[in-house]
Amino acid sequence: MNSDDFQQPQPRVTLYTLGCRLNQAETALLKDGFQQSGFIPVEFGQETDVFVINTCTVTEGAEVDCRRIVRQVLRHSPHAFVAVTGCYAQTGLEVLRRMADIDLIVGNQFKMKLPEIIPPFPRLKKQPEPLVHHGRIDPKNFSIEGVGAYTTTRANLKIQDGCQFMCSFCLIPFARGRERSRFLEDAVCEAELLVERGHRELVLTGVNIGQYRDGAADILTLIQRFEAIKGLERIRISSIEPTTVPESLLDYMSSSTKLCRHLHVPLQSGDDRILQAMNRRYSVREYQESMESALKRIPDLCFGTDVLVGFPGEGPREFANTEAVVRDFPFAYLHVFSYSPRPGTASTKLPHPVSPVTTKERSRSLRKISDHKRMAFQQRFVGRRVSVLFEAAEADGYWPGLTDNFLRVTVRSPHSLRNTIQPVVVTGMMSDTTLGLLEPISESPPPAQDLFSSSLVCVS
């Protein structure tokens, strides 16, 4: 009998993400790190040896979500080593310590070291009480080892972390620390390697990406460096705060062939008194004037926003103001959120809470407005030619994809369109997507073997 007969099987790891696009980007980096450490990623719902949940703390359901998902995993993998990381691991440490079946708690400062922190496979076993890696978050600029592992055509790329705007409803400054940015060359390195893997669109993510700074480099500098990467077709900005959108960025977006014509700029409320109570840094008029400038400069801009409903003190008049603003302003869509009090935030001390029933009714009203606005935005493109980056096929040969200005388009084709950019004529609308026909001109896809490669690394 030779030594190969005694080789340990490769351990399996499942990663689960709650919350924002930034969390998704970090989970993709963790997946790459686990693969480099010899783990085999398996899908959620399959039997696993290690389960990692990357948590969120934005809503009050963080604890409930965490408990529910851990229980679900342990039903099919009762001996799985459970690691909890992310924002709730940073802010809810004491609650997590008391939660059954958790074996490891890793705060945000140590999150990206998780593949190294996990005990070696032979010693992976359930713990009588959780191991803890937790501490103060370093405020300095940072680099990230590895390259995000994605199976999607678009890839998220983390460029920034932390926030110190201190909105009165938000725990993020406590969960992620002060504003800090990724070193420019390190971000460019990951971008180049993601493109080598076959990704044609990168989505820039962070907590407050408009505050990106590495020495003299700002977000526009970063975008210009990315534009020079051969094979990168699109650069998309994720959510960006209204007071951090420079005029130079709008000018650049209006003429760039790679920077997507898509801005998602949170409004939160259409009432000045509520904005002041939220500790937002603008008035409704200032927001409107700034965004009207963007809409005038950038043809066919897709302009979306966040609205927070049910904030303390939001009476009928304040909500009516919000409703009027979002109805009259040319948004393409709204993301509507219900306020939930987060322990430790200033808003918990404010008087005049809004009942859950009223909040739900108001949210429903705004979502109806959002549906109408999305359809109106889609209607503008019927009969027009657009370029679509296609994703994985749905049933019966239907292929969904996105235009640069965030129009979701579906076509039917017997041939694979995955990860190709194709000219499409928009023919109609259905639910939350537009329908189109492929033009006969086609584009050669990139090398298929690159898209899922995991052997590339950045070298500092």
PDB file of all heavy atoms in Angstrom, residues 154 201 234 236 260-262 300 302 377 381 385-389 401-409 422 424 426 434:
ATOM      1  N   ARG A 154     -20.174  39.535 -15.590  1.00  0.00           N
ATOM      2  CA  ARG A 154     -19.689  40.773 -14.972  1.00  0.00           C
ATOM      3  C   ARG A 154     -18.974  40.436 -13.669  1.00  0.00           C
ATOM      4  O   ARG A 154     -19.346  39.492 -12.981  1.00  0.00           O
ATOM      5  CB  ARG A 154     -20.848  41.730 -14.680  1.00  0.00           C
ATOM      6  CG  ARG A 154     -21.610  42.172 -15.921  1.00  0.00           C
ATOM      7  CD  ARG A 154     -22.575  43.301 -15.609  1.00  0.00           C
ATOM      8  NE  ARG A 154     -23.597  42.904 -14.660  1.00  0.00           N
ATOM      9  CZ  ARG A 154     -24.262  43.741 -13.868  1.00  0.00           C
ATOM     10  NH1 ARG A 154     -23.972  45.030 -13.890  1.00  0.00           N
ATOM     11  NH2 ARG A 154     -25.188  43.310 -13.053  1.00  0.00           N
ATOM     12  N   GLU A 201     -16.902  43.213 -18.337  1.00  0.00           N
ATOM     13  CA  GLU A 201     -17.424  44.360 -17.598  1.00  0.00           C
ATOM     14  C   GLU A 201     -17.009  44.244 -16.140  1.00  0.00           C
ATOM     15  O   GLU A 201     -17.143  43.185 -15.526  1.00  0.00           O
ATOM     16  CB  GLU A 201     -18.945  44.440 -17.683  1.00  0.00           C
ATOM     17  CG  GLU A 201     -19.525  45.608 -16.887  1.00  0.00           C
ATOM     18  CD  GLU A 201     -21.037  45.721 -16.994  1.00  0.00           C
ATOM     19  OE1 GLU A 201     -21.578  45.550 -18.103  1.00  0.00           O
ATOM     20  OE2 GLU A 201     -21.672  45.987 -15.955  1.00  0.00           O
ATOM     21  N   ARG A 234     -16.370  47.394 -20.588  1.00  0.00           N
ATOM     22  CA  ARG A 234     -17.257  48.261 -19.815  1.00  0.00           C
ATOM     23  C   ARG A 234     -16.755  48.422 -18.388  1.00  0.00           C
ATOM     24  O   ARG A 234     -16.277  47.471 -17.768  1.00  0.00           O
ATOM     25  CB  ARG A 234     -18.675  47.675 -19.761  1.00  0.00           C
ATOM     26  CG  ARG A 234     -19.412  47.668 -21.082  1.00  0.00           C
ATOM     27  CD  ARG A 234     -20.794  47.097 -20.875  1.00  0.00           C
ATOM     28  NE  ARG A 234     -21.560  47.069 -22.104  1.00  0.00           N
ATOM     29  CZ  ARG A 234     -22.762  46.510 -22.228  1.00  0.00           C
ATOM     30  NH1 ARG A 234     -23.308  45.933 -21.161  1.00  0.00           N
ATOM     31  NH2 ARG A 234     -23.396  46.526 -23.375  1.00  0.00           N
ATOM     32  N   ARG A 236     -18.442  49.966 -14.865  1.00  0.00           N
ATOM     33  CA  ARG A 236     -19.699  50.447 -14.294  1.00  0.00           C
ATOM     34  C   ARG A 236     -19.456  50.931 -12.872  1.00  0.00           C
ATOM     35  O   ARG A 236     -18.773  50.257 -12.087  1.00  0.00           O
ATOM     36  CB  ARG A 236     -20.748  49.336 -14.301  1.00  0.00           C
ATOM     37  CG  ARG A 236     -22.173  49.831 -13.990  1.00  0.00           C
ATOM     38  CD  ARG A 236     -23.191  48.692 -14.062  1.00  0.00           C
ATOM     39  NE  ARG A 236     -23.241  48.048 -15.367  1.00  0.00           N
ATOM     40  CZ  ARG A 236     -23.966  48.479 -16.387  1.00  0.00           C
ATOM     41  NH1 ARG A 236     -24.697  49.570 -16.270  1.00  0.00           N
ATOM     42  NH2 ARG A 236     -23.952  47.817 -17.535  1.00  0.00           N
ATOM     43  N   CYS A 260     -19.869  53.154 -18.275  1.00  0.00           N
ATOM     44  CA  CYS A 260     -21.297  52.944 -18.507  1.00  0.00           C
ATOM     45  C   CYS A 260     -22.121  54.179 -18.144  1.00  0.00           C
ATOM     46  O   CYS A 260     -21.863  54.844 -17.132  1.00  0.00           O
ATOM     47  CB  CYS A 260     -21.786  51.741 -17.702  1.00  0.00           C
ATOM     48  SG  CYS A 260     -21.095  50.171 -18.246  1.00  0.00           S
ATOM     49  N   ARG A 261     -23.138  54.433 -18.949  1.00  0.00           N
ATOM     50  CA  ARG A 261     -24.039  55.574 -18.714  1.00  0.00           C
ATOM     51  C   ARG A 261     -25.104  55.162 -17.695  1.00  0.00           C
ATOM     52  O   ARG A 261     -26.274  54.990 -18.016  1.00  0.00           O
ATOM     53  CB  ARG A 261     -24.675  56.003 -20.031  1.00  0.00           C
ATOM     54  CG  ARG A 261     -23.690  56.520 -21.074  1.00  0.00           C
ATOM     55  CD  ARG A 261     -24.334  56.608 -22.431  1.00  0.00           C
ATOM     56  NE  ARG A 261     -24.800  55.295 -22.876  1.00  0.00           N
ATOM     57  CZ  ARG A 261     -25.672  55.108 -23.871  1.00  0.00           C
ATOM     58  NH1 ARG A 261     -26.205  56.153 -24.492  1.00  0.00           N
ATOM     59  NH2 ARG A 261     -26.029  53.892 -24.223  1.00  0.00           N
ATOM     60  N   HIS A 262     -24.654  55.022 -16.477  1.00  0.00           N
ATOM     61  CA  HIS A 262     -25.522  54.528 -15.407  1.00  0.00           C
ATOM     62  C   HIS A 262     -25.050  55.133 -14.091  1.00  0.00           C
ATOM     63  O   HIS A 262     -23.900  54.953 -13.694  1.00  0.00           O
ATOM     64  CB  HIS A 262     -25.438  52.997 -15.350  1.00  0.00           C
ATOM     65  CG  HIS A 262     -26.229  52.384 -14.243  1.00  0.00           C
ATOM     66  ND1 HIS A 262     -25.929  51.138 -13.709  1.00  0.00           N
ATOM     67  CD2 HIS A 262     -27.311  52.831 -13.546  1.00  0.00           C
ATOM     68  CE1 HIS A 262     -26.797  50.849 -12.756  1.00  0.00           C
ATOM     69  NE2 HIS A 262     -27.642  51.863 -12.632  1.00  0.00           N
ATOM     70  N   ASP A 300     -29.222  59.344 -22.811  1.00  0.00           N
ATOM     71  CA  ASP A 300     -29.773  58.033 -22.438  1.00  0.00           C
ATOM     72  C   ASP A 300     -29.228  57.518 -21.105  1.00  0.00           C
ATOM     73  O   ASP A 300     -29.162  56.302 -20.873  1.00  0.00           O
ATOM     74  CB  ASP A 300     -29.503  57.004 -23.538  1.00  0.00           C
ATOM     75  CG  ASP A 300     -30.267  57.315 -24.815  1.00  0.00           C
ATOM     76  OD1 ASP A 300     -31.369  57.878 -24.716  1.00  0.00           O
ATOM     77  OD2 ASP A 300     -29.748  57.011 -25.904  1.00  0.00           O
ATOM     78  N   CYS A 302     -29.093  56.106 -17.564  1.00  0.00           N
ATOM     79  CA  CYS A 302     -29.984  55.420 -16.626  1.00  0.00           C
ATOM     80  C   CYS A 302     -29.676  55.957 -15.236  1.00  0.00           C
ATOM     81  O   CYS A 302     -28.550  55.838 -14.748  1.00  0.00           O
ATOM     82  CB  CYS A 302     -29.759  53.916 -16.678  1.00  0.00           C
ATOM     83  SG  CYS A 302     -30.783  53.012 -15.491  1.00  0.00           S
ATOM     84  N   PHE A 377     -38.819  54.049 -18.961  1.00  0.00           N
ATOM     85  CA  PHE A 377     -37.432  54.042 -19.424  1.00  0.00           C
ATOM     86  C   PHE A 377     -37.250  52.980 -20.514  1.00  0.00           C
ATOM     87  O   PHE A 377     -36.618  53.229 -21.544  1.00  0.00           O
ATOM     88  CB  PHE A 377     -36.505  53.766 -18.241  1.00  0.00           C
ATOM     89  CG  PHE A 377     -35.037  53.808 -18.596  1.00  0.00           C
ATOM     90  CD1 PHE A 377     -34.418  55.011 -18.897  1.00  0.00           C
ATOM     91  CD2 PHE A 377     -34.290  52.643 -18.624  1.00  0.00           C
ATOM     92  CE1 PHE A 377     -33.064  55.063 -19.227  1.00  0.00           C
ATOM     93  CE2 PHE A 377     -32.945  52.669 -18.941  1.00  0.00           C
ATOM     94  CZ  PHE A 377     -32.326  53.884 -19.247  1.00  0.00           C
ATOM     95  N   PHE A 381     -36.682  52.901 -25.638  1.00  0.00           N
ATOM     96  CA  PHE A 381     -35.722  52.213 -26.490  1.00  0.00           C
ATOM     97  C   PHE A 381     -36.375  51.259 -27.495  1.00  0.00           C
ATOM     98  O   PHE A 381     -35.667  50.631 -28.294  1.00  0.00           O
ATOM     99  CB  PHE A 381     -34.711  51.456 -25.621  1.00  0.00           C
ATOM    100  CG  PHE A 381     -33.871  52.372 -24.789  1.00  0.00           C
ATOM    101  CD1 PHE A 381     -34.261  52.738 -23.511  1.00  0.00           C
ATOM    102  CD2 PHE A 381     -32.700  52.917 -25.301  1.00  0.00           C
ATOM    103  CE1 PHE A 381     -33.509  53.615 -22.752  1.00  0.00           C
ATOM    104  CE2 PHE A 381     -31.929  53.796 -24.543  1.00  0.00           C
ATOM    105  CZ  PHE A 381     -32.340  54.144 -23.269  1.00  0.00           C
ATOM    106  N   ARG A 385     -31.580  50.454 -31.690  1.00  0.00           N
ATOM    107  CA  ARG A 385     -30.494  49.484 -31.660  1.00  0.00           C
ATOM    108  C   ARG A 385     -29.650  49.724 -30.413  1.00  0.00           C
ATOM    109  O   ARG A 385     -29.247  50.850 -30.127  1.00  0.00           O
ATOM    110  CB  ARG A 385     -29.630  49.647 -32.916  1.00  0.00           C
ATOM    111  CG  ARG A 385     -28.461  48.685 -33.038  1.00  0.00           C
ATOM    112  CD  ARG A 385     -27.707  49.011 -34.326  1.00  0.00           C
ATOM    113  NE  ARG A 385     -26.589  48.109 -34.567  1.00  0.00           N
ATOM    114  CZ  ARG A 385     -25.360  48.300 -34.093  1.00  0.00           C
ATOM    115  NH1 ARG A 385     -25.099  49.359 -33.337  1.00  0.00           N
ATOM    116  NH2 ARG A 385     -24.394  47.445 -34.370  1.00  0.00           N
ATOM    117  N   VAL A 386     -29.383  48.644 -29.667  1.00  0.00           N
ATOM    118  CA  VAL A 386     -28.576  48.735 -28.452  1.00  0.00           C
ATOM    119  C   VAL A 386     -27.527  47.629 -28.474  1.00  0.00           C
ATOM    120  O   VAL A 386     -27.650  46.640 -29.210  1.00  0.00           O
ATOM    121  CB  VAL A 386     -29.459  48.609 -27.182  1.00  0.00           C
ATOM    122  CG1 VAL A 386     -30.420  49.778 -27.067  1.00  0.00           C
ATOM    123  CG2 VAL A 386     -30.211  47.275 -27.171  1.00  0.00           C
ATOM    124  N   SER A 387     -26.477  47.776 -27.663  1.00  0.00           N
ATOM    125  CA  SER A 387     -25.454  46.735 -27.515  1.00  0.00           C
ATOM    126  C   SER A 387     -25.656  46.044 -26.179  1.00  0.00           C
ATOM    127  O   SER A 387     -25.735  46.698 -25.135  1.00  0.00           O
ATOM    128  CB  SER A 387     -24.051  47.359 -27.575  1.00  0.00           C
ATOM    129  OG  SER A 387     -23.785  47.847 -28.868  1.00  0.00           O
ATOM    130  N   VAL A 388     -25.703  44.719 -26.221  1.00  0.00           N
ATOM    131  CA  VAL A 388     -26.052  43.935 -25.032  1.00  0.00           C
ATOM    132  C   VAL A 388     -24.920  42.968 -24.701  1.00  0.00           C
ATOM    133  O   VAL A 388     -24.443  42.243 -25.570  1.00  0.00           O
ATOM    134  CB  VAL A 388     -27.359  43.144 -25.260  1.00  0.00           C
ATOM    135  CG1 VAL A 388     -27.723  42.329 -24.017  1.00  0.00           C
ATOM    136  CG2 VAL A 388     -28.493  44.093 -25.628  1.00  0.00           C
ATOM    137  N   LEU A 389     -24.499  42.975 -23.430  1.00  0.00           N
ATOM    138  CA  LEU A 389     -23.568  41.969 -22.918  1.00  0.00           C
ATOM    139  C   LEU A 389     -24.403  40.848 -22.311  1.00  0.00           C
ATOM    140  O   LEU A 389     -25.105  41.045 -21.318  1.00  0.00           O
ATOM    141  CB  LEU A 389     -22.642  42.573 -21.861  1.00  0.00           C
ATOM    142  CG  LEU A 389     -21.717  41.603 -21.117  1.00  0.00           C
ATOM    143  CD1 LEU A 389     -20.803  40.850 -22.071  1.00  0.00           C
ATOM    144  CD2 LEU A 389     -20.897  42.331 -20.061  1.00  0.00           C
ATOM    145  N   GLY A 401     -29.427  39.870 -20.970  1.00  0.00           N
ATOM    146  CA  GLY A 401     -28.187  40.628 -20.880  1.00  0.00           C
ATOM    147  C   GLY A 401     -28.473  42.076 -20.546  1.00  0.00           C
ATOM    148  O   GLY A 401     -29.635  42.482 -20.385  1.00  0.00           O
ATOM    149  N   LEU A 402     -27.407  42.858 -20.424  1.00  0.00           N
ATOM    150  CA  LEU A 402     -27.533  44.269 -20.048  1.00  0.00           C
ATOM    151  C   LEU A 402     -26.877  45.167 -21.084  1.00  0.00           C
ATOM    152  O   LEU A 402     -25.813  44.839 -21.625  1.00  0.00           O
ATOM    153  CB  LEU A 402     -26.870  44.532 -18.693  1.00  0.00           C
ATOM    154  CG  LEU A 402     -27.594  44.112 -17.424  1.00  0.00           C
ATOM    155  CD1 LEU A 402     -26.723  44.428 -16.219  1.00  0.00           C
ATOM    156  CD2 LEU A 402     -28.940  44.821 -17.293  1.00  0.00           C
ATOM    157  N   THR A 403     -27.507  46.304 -21.313  1.00  0.00           N
ATOM    158  CA  THR A 403     -26.845  47.370 -22.053  1.00  0.00           C
ATOM    159  C   THR A 403     -25.957  48.148 -21.093  1.00  0.00           C
ATOM    160  O   THR A 403     -26.018  47.953 -19.876  1.00  0.00           O
ATOM    161  CB  THR A 403     -27.871  48.334 -22.665  1.00  0.00           C
ATOM    162  OG1 THR A 403     -28.601  48.970 -21.589  1.00  0.00           O
ATOM    163  CG2 THR A 403     -28.855  47.595 -23.565  1.00  0.00           C
ATOM    164  N   ASP A 404     -25.154  49.048 -21.624  1.00  0.00           N
ATOM    165  CA  ASP A 404     -24.299  49.830 -20.720  1.00  0.00           C
ATOM    166  C   ASP A 404     -25.133  50.709 -19.809  1.00  0.00           C
ATOM    167  O   ASP A 404     -24.734  51.010 -18.685  1.00  0.00           O
ATOM    168  CB  ASP A 404     -23.281  50.656 -21.527  1.00  0.00           C
ATOM    169  CG  ASP A 404     -23.863  51.923 -22.076  1.00  0.00           C
ATOM    170  OD1 ASP A 404     -24.769  51.827 -22.936  1.00  0.00           O
ATOM    171  OD2 ASP A 404     -23.435  53.017 -21.670  1.00  0.00           O
ATOM    172  N   ASN A 405     -26.317  51.145 -20.275  1.00  0.00           N
ATOM    173  CA  ASN A 405     -27.154  51.990 -19.429  1.00  0.00           C
ATOM    174  C   ASN A 405     -28.247  51.193 -18.710  1.00  0.00           C
ATOM    175  O   ASN A 405     -29.340  51.682 -18.448  1.00  0.00           O
ATOM    176  CB  ASN A 405     -27.750  53.158 -20.220  1.00  0.00           C
ATOM    177  CG  ASN A 405     -28.649  52.709 -21.350  1.00  0.00           C
ATOM    178  OD1 ASN A 405     -28.614  51.548 -21.764  1.00  0.00           O
ATOM    179  ND2 ASN A 405     -29.464  53.612 -21.857  1.00  0.00           N
ATOM    180  N   PHE A 406     -27.897  49.963 -18.346  1.00  0.00           N
ATOM    181  CA  PHE A 406     -28.647  49.154 -17.378  1.00  0.00           C
ATOM    182  C   PHE A 406     -30.039  48.762 -17.856  1.00  0.00           C
ATOM    183  O   PHE A 406     -30.946  48.536 -17.059  1.00  0.00           O
ATOM    184  CB  PHE A 406     -28.742  49.893 -16.039  1.00  0.00           C
ATOM    185  CG  PHE A 406     -28.786  48.970 -14.850  1.00  0.00           C
ATOM    186  CD1 PHE A 406     -27.770  48.057 -14.620  1.00  0.00           C
ATOM    187  CD2 PHE A 406     -29.839  49.013 -13.948  1.00  0.00           C
ATOM    188  CE1 PHE A 406     -27.813  47.196 -13.524  1.00  0.00           C
ATOM    189  CE2 PHE A 406     -29.882  48.166 -12.849  1.00  0.00           C
ATOM    190  CZ  PHE A 406     -28.865  47.252 -12.641  1.00  0.00           C
ATOM    191  N   LEU A 407     -30.214  48.650 -19.160  1.00  0.00           N
ATOM    192  CA  LEU A 407     -31.462  48.144 -19.720  1.00  0.00           C
ATOM    193  C   LEU A 407     -31.321  46.635 -19.855  1.00  0.00           C
ATOM    194  O   LEU A 407     -30.398  46.147 -20.517  1.00  0.00           O
ATOM    195  CB  LEU A 407     -31.709  48.781 -21.090  1.00  0.00           C
ATOM    196  CG  LEU A 407     -33.044  48.495 -21.761  1.00  0.00           C
ATOM    197  CD1 LEU A 407     -34.164  49.226 -21.018  1.00  0.00           C
ATOM    198  CD2 LEU A 407     -33.004  48.934 -23.220  1.00  0.00           C
ATOM    199  N   ARG A 408     -32.219  45.895 -19.207  1.00  0.00           N
ATOM    200  CA  ARG A 408     -32.159  44.437 -19.299  1.00  0.00           C
ATOM    201  C   ARG A 408     -32.922  43.992 -20.536  1.00  0.00           C
ATOM    202  O   ARG A 408     -34.104  44.307 -20.708  1.00  0.00           O
ATOM    203  CB  ARG A 408     -32.746  43.792 -18.039  1.00  0.00           C
ATOM    204  CG  ARG A 408     -32.659  42.263 -18.042  1.00  0.00           C
ATOM    205  CD  ARG A 408     -32.805  41.689 -16.655  1.00  0.00           C
ATOM    206  NE  ARG A 408     -31.650  42.014 -15.831  1.00  0.00           N
ATOM    207  CZ  ARG A 408     -30.496  41.352 -15.852  1.00  0.00           C
ATOM    208  NH1 ARG A 408     -30.331  40.337 -16.676  1.00  0.00           N
ATOM    209  NH2 ARG A 408     -29.511  41.718 -15.068  1.00  0.00           N
ATOM    210  N   VAL A 409     -32.232  43.259 -21.408  1.00  0.00           N
ATOM    211  CA  VAL A 409     -32.782  42.851 -22.696  1.00  0.00           C
ATOM    212  C   VAL A 409     -32.683  41.336 -22.824  1.00  0.00           C
ATOM    213  O   VAL A 409     -31.657  40.739 -22.473  1.00  0.00           O
ATOM    214  CB  VAL A 409     -32.020  43.521 -23.861  1.00  0.00           C
ATOM    215  CG1 VAL A 409     -32.605  43.109 -25.201  1.00  0.00           C
ATOM    216  CG2 VAL A 409     -32.038  45.042 -23.719  1.00  0.00           C
ATOM    217  N   GLN A 422     -23.502  41.909 -28.310  1.00  0.00           N
ATOM    218  CA  GLN A 422     -24.183  41.783 -29.590  1.00  0.00           C
ATOM    219  C   GLN A 422     -25.085  42.986 -29.840  1.00  0.00           C
ATOM    220  O   GLN A 422     -25.696  43.524 -28.904  1.00  0.00           O
ATOM    221  CB  GLN A 422     -25.044  40.515 -29.598  1.00  0.00           C
ATOM    222  CG  GLN A 422     -24.302  39.229 -29.318  1.00  0.00           C
ATOM    223  CD  GLN A 422     -23.526  38.731 -30.527  1.00  0.00           C
ATOM    224  OE1 GLN A 422     -23.587  39.318 -31.599  1.00  0.00           O
ATOM    225  NE2 GLN A 422     -22.772  37.660 -30.346  1.00  0.00           N
ATOM    226  N   VAL A 424     -28.523  44.537 -30.845  1.00  0.00           N
ATOM    227  CA  VAL A 424     -29.899  44.060 -30.706  1.00  0.00           C
ATOM    228  C   VAL A 424     -30.850  45.211 -31.003  1.00  0.00           C
ATOM    229  O   VAL A 424     -30.601  46.357 -30.612  1.00  0.00           O
ATOM    230  CB  VAL A 424     -30.149  43.538 -29.267  1.00  0.00           C
ATOM    231  CG1 VAL A 424     -31.619  43.178 -29.058  1.00  0.00           C
ATOM    232  CG2 VAL A 424     -29.257  42.328 -28.967  1.00  0.00           C
ATOM    233  N   VAL A 426     -34.460  46.539 -30.046  1.00  0.00           N
ATOM    234  CA  VAL A 426     -35.490  46.365 -29.021  1.00  0.00           C
ATOM    235  C   VAL A 426     -36.856  46.355 -29.694  1.00  0.00           C
ATOM    236  O   VAL A 426     -37.189  47.256 -30.467  1.00  0.00           O
ATOM    237  CB  VAL A 426     -35.408  47.482 -27.962  1.00  0.00           C
ATOM    238  CG1 VAL A 426     -36.525  47.324 -26.941  1.00  0.00           C
ATOM    239  CG2 VAL A 426     -34.048  47.467 -27.271  1.00  0.00           C
ATOM    240  N   THR A 434     -36.871  44.015 -21.343  1.00  0.00           N
ATOM    241  CA  THR A 434     -37.263  44.357 -22.700  1.00  0.00           C
ATOM    242  C   THR A 434     -36.923  43.178 -23.600  1.00  0.00           C
ATOM    243  O   THR A 434     -36.035  42.384 -23.302  1.00  0.00           O
ATOM    244  CB  THR A 434     -36.546  45.619 -23.196  1.00  0.00           C
ATOM    245  OG1 THR A 434     -35.135  45.443 -23.013  1.00  0.00           O
ATOM    246  CG2 THR A 434     -36.983  46.836 -22.445  1.00  0.00           C
TER     247      THR A 434
END
